[in-house]
Amino acid sequence: QVQLVESGGGLVQPGGFLRLSCTASGFSFRISKMTWLRQRPGKGLEWVSSINIDDSTDYEDRVNGRFFISRDNAKNTLYLQMHNLKIEDTAVYYCAKGWGVFAAPRGQGTQVTVSS
């Protein structure tokens, strides 16, 4: 079955950097569109970014230019590089199979906390 395991979250100061990873198994990763979602405190699930099998990408406006999604098909791994982190980026981040906010299934999530 599809398994997605996120890692790389943590506590970082505003302006800092984190790289999230998502290791995939149980499906053909290289021919799958992949997505990062997040859930901020008190909010619903939000789309962050998606990557296609041709490496084309799309980003939510609030993270465009700060976050960068990528994939390593040889390692069945999805990445999210997050630069210039803001307090409002604090959330549980999930990777999911598919494109957009309805991408599913998703992993268990990794907590990112941006605080001074």
Side-chain angles (χ1 to χ4, degrees):
Q1 72 277 22
V2 173
Q3 287 195 327
L4 299 164
V5 180
E6 302 92 340
S7 61
L11 174 64
V12 63
Q13 292 186 340
F17 167 84
L18 280 176
R19 188 179 81 156
L20 306 183
S21 300
C22 170
T23 302
S25 61
F27 65 101
S28 296
F29 179 80
R30 66 178 60 248
I31 59 169
S32 297
K33 301 174 184 180
M34 296 295 296
T35 287
W36 285 100
L37 306 168
R38 70 183 180 184
Q39 187 161 22
R40 296 186 288 164
K43 304 286 187 180
L45 201 60
E46 300 175 344
W47 171 71
V48 175
S49 179
S50 297
I51 185 167
N52 212 329
I53 59 175
D54 63 356
D55 287 343
S56 59
T57 59
D58 199 8
Y59 297 92
E60 194 271 333
D61 286 346
R62 286 172 293 189
V63 308
N64 196 20
R66 299 189 296 121
F67 290 12
F68 300 93
I69 190 172
S70 62
R71 62 193 302 159
D72 185 335
N73 290 335
K75 296 181 178 179
N76 281 3
T77 301
L78 179 72
Y79 300 103
L80 185 68
Q81 293 188 69
M82 305 187 295
H83 300 262
N84 189 22
L85 281 160
K86 303 178 180 181
I87 291 175
E88 53 264 39
D89 293 320
T90 294
V92 179
Y93 284 76
Y94 303 91
C95 69
K97 180 177 179 293
W99 186 278
V101 68
F102 298 111
R106 61 180 187 262
Q108 84 291 345
T110 186
Q111 176 71 48
V112 171
T113 302
V114 185
S115 175
S116 55

